[in-house]
């Protein structure tokens, strides 16, 4: 299934896509798409529904985050060798982990450039949504705890991340720096998460064009590895790293500015579109 939430921010309704790509209303079947709905039992109940009999939503309007109840927004850095090269970093021998402080935002919500920022950057990534608790999970069992997958734009402020000392988190956790969606595509519809093409355009120019097969550490290994350090719970999101083509890697570097438009997508998981806005607190509240 392709699960989604539609409507004004804070008042989204649960929905799903039918075979024709139309939005169907799920609010008569469940209160919301949350961590409980993403459990094996919750997903089994949803798969048992006759989607074509659900109310059709002719004009869904805004698409929000595909689910609620995310406890952890975990991210992986330097997970594509050619991105490592363009970043001028050393090849990692273990996954590089960091966190997003920001709340996830909808796939088409604006990205607000932080006050004084001149190095806000883009990163298309595969998101992995956990559906079952995973603690010290074996590698061969890791994919069994996945509820589904989604598109993530791991927006980054490179000055804050690289030049301001400390961890990467301060350059990754700014407000609006976590667009996800448009859908959560359940794992049964993604037979191989290591064979998904991905792309990102800025103002109509393609900068990123790759495939998840190029990851250094695959999805199963990342879940196994992260579960050695923290328990993963339903609703936790792992953003698995970006391929080459980020603004930092251009010669000279190119960064996002107000008025720019970013479009990105992953095969079978949908597309995002974000307009870049200057700092305005009204866009955040």
């Amino acid at each position: 299934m392709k699960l989604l939430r539609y409507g004004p921010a804070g008042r989204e309704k649960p929905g799903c896509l039918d075979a024709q790509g139309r939005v169907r209303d799920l609010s008569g079947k469940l209160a919301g798409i949350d961590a409980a709905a993403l459990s094996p039992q919750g997903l089994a109940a949803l798969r048992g529904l006759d989607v074509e009999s659900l109310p059709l939503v002719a004009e869904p309007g805004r698409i929000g985050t595909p689910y609620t109840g995310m406890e952890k927004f975990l991210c992986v850095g330097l997970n594509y060798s050619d991105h490592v090269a363009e970043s001028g970093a050393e090849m990692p021998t273990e996954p590089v982990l960091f966190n997003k402080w920001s709340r996830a935002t909808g796939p088409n919500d604006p990205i607000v450039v932080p006050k004084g920022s001149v190095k806000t950057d883009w990163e298309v990534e595969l998101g992995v949504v956990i559906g079952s608790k995973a603690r010290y999970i074996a590698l061969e069992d890791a994919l069994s705890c996945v509820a589904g997958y989604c598109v993530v734009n791991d927006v980054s402020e490179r000055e804050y991340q690289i030049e301001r000392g400390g961890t990467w988190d301060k350059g990754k956790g700014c407000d609006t720096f976590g667009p996800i969606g448009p859908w959560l595509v359940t794992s049964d519809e993604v037979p191989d998460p290591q064979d998904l093409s991905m792309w990102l355009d800025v103002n109509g120019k393609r900068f990123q064009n790759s495939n998840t097969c190029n990851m250094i550490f695959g999805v199963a290994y990342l879940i196994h590895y992260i579960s050695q350090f923290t328990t993963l719970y339903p609703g936790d999101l792992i953003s698995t790293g970006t391929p080459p083509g980020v603004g930092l890697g251009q010669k000279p570097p190119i960064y996002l500015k107000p008025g720019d438009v970013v479009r990105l997508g992953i095969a079978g998981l949908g597309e995002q579109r974000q307009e870049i806005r200057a700092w305005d607190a009204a866009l955040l509240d």
Side-chain angles (χ1 to χ4, degrees):
M1 296 185 75
K2 293 180 174 66
L3 301 173
L4 58 91
R5 295 167 62 247
Y6 66 95
R11 292 183 285 138
E12 296 92 342
K13 294 182 179 181
C16 64
L17 290 190
D18 64 18
Q20 290 75 43
R22 301 173 300 184
V23 175
R24 298 281 181 163
D25 181 32
L26 277 172
S27 59
K29 302 296 181 180
L30 74 169
I33 302 172
D34 55 12
L38 300 180
S39 68
Q41 298 81 6
L43 290 179
L46 287 172
R47 291 190 188 103
L49 296 175
D50 177 8
V51 171
E52 301 298 324
S53 70
L54 297 172
L56 184 64
V57 183
E59 297 182 7
R62 173 184 172 272
I63 301 297
T65 61
Y67 70 99
T68 62
M70 182 191 304
E71 182 177 291
K72 302 185 192 70
F73 197 154
L74 299 158
C75 300
V76 181
L78 303 174
N79 199 27
Y80 289 74
S81 58
D82 31 13
H83 174 57
V84 175
E86 72 173 353
S87 301
E90 295 184 2
M91 192 69 66
T93 57
E94 295 188 35
V96 176
L97 305 180
F98 61 91
N99 296 293
K100 286 274 193 188
W101 296 335
S102 58
R103 294 178 296 176
T105 56
N108 306 316
D109 292 343
I111 293 170
V112 180
V113 175
K115 284 185 178 181
S117 166
V118 294
K119 295 184 179 180
T120 295
D121 204 349
W122 59 81
E123 298 189 20
V124 60
E125 303 196 3
L126 172 66
V128 180
V129 182
I130 300 300
S132 301
K133 185 169 75 172
R135 178 185 295 141
Y136 297 109
I137 193 166
L139 178 60
E140 60 269 23
D141 298 327
L143 292 182
S144 68
C145 72
V146 176
Y149 301 91
C150 64
V151 181
V152 177
N153 188 354
D154 175 20
V155 186
S156 309
E157 212 299 342
R158 301 302 188 187
E159 180 186 3
Y160 301 176
Q161 175 190 357
I162 299 169
E163 303 171 35
R164 298 286 295 271
T167 67
W168 286 10
D169 296 32
K170 68 179 69 171
K172 299 286 190 171
C174 303
D175 294 326
T176 75
F177 274 24
I180 69 170
W183 320 312
L184 185 155
V185 181
T186 53
S187 58
D188 57 302
E189 293 196 9
V190 185
D192 185 0
Q194 303 305 152
D195 187 22
L196 300 172
S197 60
M198 56 203 308
W199 56 272
L200 182 144
D201 297 347
V202 180
N203 298 329
K205 179 179 178 180
R206 179 124 324 163
F207 282 91
Q208 293 187 277
N209 191 15
S210 189
N211 190 289
T212 56
C213 68
N214 296 316
M215 286 183 188
I216 298 170
F217 306 104
V219 171
Y221 185 80
L222 291 174
I223 296 169
H224 158 74
Y225 181 84
I226 294 170
S227 77
Q228 310 304 303
F229 303 99
T230 185
T231 301
L232 295 169
Y233 291 97
D236 287 350
L237 176 65
I238 301 171
S239 197
T240 56
T242 199
V246 300
L248 173 68
Q250 307 304 308
K251 310 249 184 248
I254 299 172
Y255 295 110
L256 296 169
K257 61 186 184 303
D260 287 345
V261 175
V262 180
R263 292 182 61 246
L264 60 150
I266 298 178
L269 305 186
E271 299 183 8
Q272 301 183 357
R273 181 187 184 278
Q274 294 113 25
E275 295 181 7
I276 310 305
R277 305 281 186 85
W279 167 260
D280 183 349
L283 295 173
L284 307 177
D285 301 325

